[in-house]
Amino acid sequence: MALLPIIKYPDPRLHKVAKPVAAVTQQTRKLIKDMSETMYAAPGIGLAATQIDVHEQIVVIDVSETHDELRVFINPVILELDGVEESEEGCLSVPGIYETVKRANRVKVQALNENGETFQLEADGLLAVCIQHEIDHLQGKVFVEHLSHLKQTRIRAKLKKQRRETL
Ligand code: K1U
Ligand code: ZN
């Protein structure tokens, strides 16, 4: 089992824009396995390659309680967004911070799976929120950047204090 270190906000590497995967290979599948193990161990319901300092368009998500519904999105593209909903989000790169974010409540996404096959998925609820959150990561955006500047400043101060106390 390979657990990968997760980059923590405000590390500038979280702002890199991920490149499309040119071909889905055994190496891609090994990375997906390591990413999913890292996500389950964290524990989390999603992980973007950006968060482990790999700047390729790869996302893993499992919003099930039983941890048996792993979804893989390679080169994901949002085709449709619909509705608006506010919900609480967390982020493995921003530990201990949970904030309300406004996003679309339905999403249609197209991506490649781990075999390099194209698929489309329509999602709502937590899965829709998680897909948008993870695609933001691939575009170099962290969820706190949906919040006011004042909240972002407070979050950075809180994380700095957390880090001082754990040293
Ligand atoms: O991208 C990430 O850092 C993962 C993040 C995904 C996410 C959570 C909530 C709303 C949108 C996106 C997390 O998984 S944070 C941890 C978390 O939500 C959780 C952890 C354990 C059990 C259930 C949820
Ligand atoms: Zn996140």
Side-chain angles (χ1 to χ4, degrees):
M1 169 142 139
L3 297 185
L4 308 165
I6 297 175
I7 302 175
K8 300 296 185 305
Y9 180 81
D11 190 308
R13 290 173 293 175
L14 286 170
H15 296 121
K16 287 193 183 182
V17 177
K19 293 193 167 64
V21 173
V24 180
T25 62
Q26 278 305 345
Q27 202 184 325
T28 319
R29 282 185 278 274
K30 167 75 170 79
L31 178 62
I32 288 165
K33 185 168 181 284
D34 292 347
M35 284 177 63
S36 57
E37 289 172 357
T38 302
M39 173 188 74
Y40 287 127
I45 57 170
L47 190 72
T50 307
Q51 294 175 276
I52 48 137
D53 203 20
V54 173
H55 301 281
E56 293 180 32
Q57 294 177 10
I58 305 173
V59 161
V60 294
I61 293 178
D62 187 346
V63 296
S64 74
E65 282 178 11
T66 41
H67 292 183
D68 58 358
E69 290 176 27
L70 182 69
R71 296 169 192 272
V72 174
F73 300 84
I74 300 167
N75 300 345
V77 178
I78 291 188
L79 301 176
E80 287 172 26
L81 289 170
D82 202 11
V84 187
E85 192 176 276
E86 286 193 329
S87 62
E88 193 164 84
E89 296 190 18
C91 182
L92 300 175
S93 296
V94 194
I97 305 289
Y98 290 86
E99 292 285 346
T100 299
V101 177
K102 194 188 276 186
R103 295 192 190 265
N105 61 8
R106 280 188 304 282
V107 60
K108 185 173 176 183
V109 64
Q110 177 171 300
L112 302 178
N113 65 18
E114 60 271 46
N115 299 315
E117 298 156 343
T118 301
F119 69 96
Q120 289 188 1
L121 174 77
E122 290 188 50
D124 59 12
L126 181 57
L127 180 57
V129 169
C130 198
I131 289 170
Q132 292 170 78
H133 177 115
E134 302 308 335
I135 290 179
D136 270 0
H137 274 306
L138 299 181
Q139 293 168 350
K141 187 165 180 173
V142 181
F143 87 108
V144 297
E145 287 152 16
H146 286 274
L147 307 173
S148 68
H149 285 292
L150 177 62
K151 274 197 174 167
Q152 290 183 43
T153 304
R154 285 183 179 158
I155 288 167
R156 276 197 295 271
K158 196 169 167 185
L159 291 170
K160 215 170 175 179
K161 186 162 177 275
Q162 262 179 28
R163 274 194 288 272
R164 269 203 310 274
E165 285 168 358
T166 53
L167 281 181

